[in-house]
Amino acid sequence: MGDMANNSVSYSGVKNSLKEANHDGDFGITLAELRALMELRSTDALRKIQESYGDVYGICTRLKTSPNEGLSGNPADIERREAVFGKNFIPPKKPKTFLQLVWEALQDVTLIILEIAAIVSLGLSFYQPPEGDNALCGEVSVGEEEGEGETGWIEGAAILLSVVCVVLVTAFNDWSKEKQFRGLQSRIEQEQKFTVIRGGQVIQIPVADITVGDIAQVKYGDLLPADGILIQGNDLKIDESSLTGESDHVKKSLDKDPLLLSGTHVMEGSGRMVVTAVGINSQTGIIFTLLGAGGEEEEKKDEKKKEKKSKHDNLL
């Protein structure tokens, strides 16, 4: 009986782990496999595609999309893809608080010198020499001493007040500029659209709505919003300087270098690609994450993985 109970527990654990694995396996290719593929370059990527998937059409089959008609556009299918492969959105870096901006403004060398001068001035204004020193210095008017002592602090206080005003104004200007910039950036992202094929029709959708499996049309002047693999190209040349730093345009073709990366510009030609990575899973998203943007999203993913692992261990 004990063996049967242990077998049943282990079977249920295996069953649950298979369910988790099939969450990505519904498409025949996992998010990790796509990320690893997009990190390769030119001949290495082409060799990997040929060895693992046959060709780009094999990847389209695994992603359950048509190279000619694209996705069906069914909302349930789009939601499922976004749940598995993520949304085409890179969370912006957490904005600095007003207190952080105040602290940064205080680091100015000129303001630090003024602060020290103000503190020294205030300290001297409240300092009173011993009685013996007064006798040695000769006859000094008592009324004048008292008057200087009562008003001596004003100079130091005025310097401190001016420093506070400068710091607050600087911090407020930085805060308002950052707020305006983020609002403008958000509006641009919402208004930016890209051409995709869905249900056999060529339509334009917001960049944030692009998902893995979409068939996107690229042409001269486009800024690629996601990573993808070329399906068909016509003398396509890409400027990848934003990612690699190389100024030379890279020619893309099915038989040499079929990978198209987000954040790069189309300089010549046109073509079609199947989207393979979006958002923080794209090459631009990975770079932004390393620079600090999108860190919260990665932390949430790590927490979910830990929860799944702990549940799996408990079942075993």
Side-chain angles (χ1 to χ4, degrees), residues 34-41 227-228 259-261 276 283:
L34 289 173
R35 281 186 63 158
L37 174 62
M38 297 310 298
E39 288 174 359
L40 300 175
R41 294 294 177 267
D227 293 350
L259 299 190
L260 301 176
L261 306 177
T276 55
Q283 294 302 297

Side-chain angles (χ1 to χ4, degrees), residues 184-216:
L184 179 62
Q185 189 177 28
S186 176
R187 191 172 66 184
I188 291 173
E189 289 176 354
Q190 290 175 359
E191 293 177 354
Q192 187 180 4
K193 294 187 177 182
F194 206 79
T195 305
V196 299
I197 302 173
R198 285 190 178 178
Q201 295 182 346
V202 179
I203 60 173
Q204 284 196 330
I205 62 173
V207 167
D209 292 343
I210 294 175
T211 188
V212 171
D214 264 323
I215 304 300

Side-chain angles (χ1 to χ4, degrees), residues 204-254:
Q204 284 196 330
I205 62 173
V207 167
D209 292 343
I210 294 175
T211 188
V212 171
D214 264 323
I215 304 300
Q217 289 190 339
V218 297
K219 62 184 183 302
Y220 167 73
D222 283 343
L223 173 66
L224 299 184
D227 293 350
I229 301 176
L230 190 66
I231 296 176
Q232 176 267 327
N234 179 25
D235 193 25
L236 192 63
K237 290 184 180 179
I238 305 294
D239 178 12
E240 295 184 347
S241 59
S242 58
L243 293 180
T244 63
E246 297 179 3
S247 58
D248 294 337
H249 298 166
V250 181
K251 187 172 182 178
K252 299 292 180 177
S253 61
L254 292 172

